[in-house]
Amino acid sequence: MESAVPVCNTCGEQVGLGSNGEAFVACQECNYPICRHCLDYEIKEGRNACVRCLTPYGDDEKVVPDGGSEEYGNQIPNASHLHTSTDTGVHARNISTVSTVDSEYIDEYGNPIWKNRVESWKDKKNKKKRAANKKEAAEIPTEQQMEDKPQSADASQPLSRVFPIPKSQLGPYRTVIVIRFIILVLFIHYRVTHPVDSAFGLWLTSVICEIWFAFSWILDQFPKWCPVNRETYIDRLSARYEREGEPSELAAVDFFVSTVDPLKEPPLITANTVLSILAVDYPVDKVSCYVSDDGAAMLSFESLVETADFARKWVPFCKKFSIEPRAPEFYFSQKIDYLKDKIQPSFVKERRAMKRDYEEYKVRVNALVAKAQKTPDEGWTMADGTSWPGNNTRDHPGMIQVFLGSTGAHDIEGNELPRLVYVSREKRPGYQHHKKAGAENALVRVSAVLTNAPYILNLDCDHYVNNSKAVREAMCFLMDPEIGRNLCYVQFPQRFDGIDKSDRYANRNTVFFDVNMKGLDGIQGPVYVGTGCVFNRQALYGYGPSSLPAKPKSSSSCSWCSSCCCCCRGKKPAKEKDLAEIYRDAKREDLNAAIFNLTEIENYDEHERSLLISQMSFEKTFGLSTVFIESTLLENGGVADSANSSTLIKEAIHVISCGYEEKTAWGKEIGWIYGSVTEDILTGFKMHCRGWRSIYCMPLRPAFKGSAPINLSDRLHQVLRWALGSVEIFLSRHCPLWYGFGGGRLKWLQRLAYINTIVYPFTSLPLVAYCILPAVCLLTGKFIIPTLSNLASVLFLGLFFSIISTSVLELRWSGVSIEALWRNEQFWVIGGVSAHLFAVFQGILKMLAGLDTNFTVTTKAADDTEFGELYMIKWTTVLIPPTTILIVNLVGVVAGFSDALNSGYETWGPLFGKVFFAFWVILHLYPFLKGLMGRQNRTPTIVILWSVLLASVFSLVWVKIDPFVSTNDASTAAQSCIAIDC
């Protein structure tokens, strides 16, 4: 029988019973179904009116949560509920399953004293908030309240919408995937059951490669099974959190920008990124920009001083005329009509003046760069005559300098500017600093002490804000009460400037960002790609989401009490199983402690605060900083109003000391995770394993744009680094093949996607072998496929057409061009036979033997024309394998045609099959060949010598040994020769 109690329209659970024993009713006017928990949440967020009829909630029915107060908003569970996973439900914060409170701090009723204090504090805070709201409501005239009602109705609408791919596009796509999978299985079965006896070695090699390619295709294809699109509503966000005449309630955001060497990462590029952040369309008091200088370069510091001064002119100009983008270098270089949509008469005059100011600013920064080319023998000296603390980049103290902000310089119009903070963490010999991941973790701690925004947006120094409303786009997800509670981050796609129109080396990664990431967004969310990502700070601290996915019934327990043993099944004794579950859950949820909003606690003295922190054992997790640990308890961020700025700066210097992370969970369970040069993949993977989900946000105007290496050598070096990071993860304890199964929180399609990200470099081994096979077949006269039967012909044609159909249908729902798809296929082969191959061996040597092999890149030539870098020739050992494969296949084609001409027309049929595969390899490597030739067809001599040498040796060895010719064939050939001689 179905229950007569209605279901809550917000969370989908039953609304429960009221004090009169009947169904709980929140709105007496329209009986809109909403449960107690959701009603408390609405009132806590300041929405005191019914969603349907906009009638204010009355006092007819008091909400009395279990163990809580009898007033609205006081949904404070008692201590027994804090440690019961089944009673908290989806509305409660994820609570630790292991109590760390000592018995001496428990009151006579068994409740921890510090929790009771927090509850009483929240009681007082909520009462004050309700009183303030009533006072404000009383001051507002009735006419104005009536005018505000339509705005409240708009504010109650969802902030985003998911619209899946139309069935007319997705249905055929899935059907073709299934058909292709079936044909692939039949094809593999045919290849395995029909060996080629005359070339058994070649056949076996090809079959092994094809099986691996099939496995790799499954890993790549099936995570794209449920692609989705999303749409945001920024106007609704403003209506909800930016009411006219009231302070903005939008959440604060801390921006992270990281740089290392200003000579390799030009200060002007970093400055444009910083300027675009300071001018973002967001409340200035909600924005803080932290610049990490991991090279402790005085050039970076001085250029940031100049940038802060220029920002006083640039930021008001951007906001006055609403220009896009707000990075001056890219704004002034646009080849568009900049007068479009501009109606202010003063715009042209002010734009000319601003362009002149920017050029003067560029001259000053370029002068600093020129000065920094040669380091003085005595080291750098600052303007006041003191020595620069970072003269020794490997041994220097931590440095922090705060620019702008509420207490700093204002813009030329007298308005406040966002805070800008220069950070250079301490470095000493003998300490592991963990490169970019360590620098990001240092910024997490510094920002937590100084501003403690609940959200963090990290950007590479060469990625500027291209859409000034990008932060608002992300907030449509993160601040949505329905989905924001379980979001660890919002990832934006990467877009690039300065790439040639043909995108010769697939620098845009269009297939990955417009196809794969959309597919992942339909599962558990996109992977973290290192930049252009807005994080929930609580997720970085290792906490779990507020409502975790349900655990499998076979491995879950119904309660922490002793009676839960009756709910367990299996042959194993119930008690032992419960103990094992408790132990695993305790290890898994060690960091999921109760989180309270402690922003305004003034009754706690220093002893009580330290007592609370020691009881929670946070010091072993977050390090020895009371200020920082307190900031981790503030779910909504912020710092205490009574905090002293000089004290906070001292504490910030302390948390970036080189020994702060020792014997803590930094880099292991919290923050950016160490252990791989691709710390982004590892960090996102850990969050998804905890049950978080992420969201992919693709606004019409790209949120961020960056620069990418467009010449061949730099592009291969970049891909080599990514592949090396994947190999490191594969050989670590965080490998998705075996990590994260205990909690059951990572969806299996999401796991397939992560497995694909760490095994793809190993595809280089079969790919190299498969690219050499056509040349071997042409040189030896053998082939990997026997004479085709009718069934075999059907399988080959079916596989061929299914591959084409999958690509066409994928292009249809994703909007990717066929040229982008073809470039992606070409560079998959180019990178597979070069950078991925080196990454596999380098990763194995590094992880197993401790050898760190570096592949250096040296510039050989360049042009000053547009896209001149595209034709730049650089020497690197990564170029040798693909060049060798190209030459071997070209030699094989020539040898094959020569043999066919000498042997007669009967050999032309088999020749076409062999030549087809050889041309398939050459066609995929054609962009690589163009890159080697350069604009003037110049190729480094060393590359040609090595490639010709290896190709010649390889060809001579095959002709001499010919191992795939059987003994009988050899004796027959010898007899025929003897007969001719006779």
Side-chain angles (χ1 to χ4, degrees), residues 257-258 269-270 273 330 459-464 531 705-708:
V257 179
S258 55
I269 298 298
T270 305
T273 300
F330 301 95
L459 291 172
D460 288 342
C461 64
D462 59 347
H463 277 68
Y464 64 91
T531 184
K705 279 190 175 182
S707 58

Side-chain angles (χ1 to χ4, degrees), residues 902-918:
N902 295 329
S903 302
Y905 70 92
E906 295 180 354
T907 59
W908 283 92
L911 174 66
F912 283 127
K914 303 173 186 177
V915 171
F916 173 80
F917 286 111

Side-chain angles (χ1 to χ4, degrees), residues 373-395:
Q373 296 299 318
K374 185 178 180 181
T375 306
D377 296 335
E378 65 278 4
W380 296 108
T381 304
M382 293 187 290
D384 59 357
T386 59
S387 178
W388 173 248
N391 279 323
N392 187 344
T393 58
R394 297 183 178 181
D395 187 3

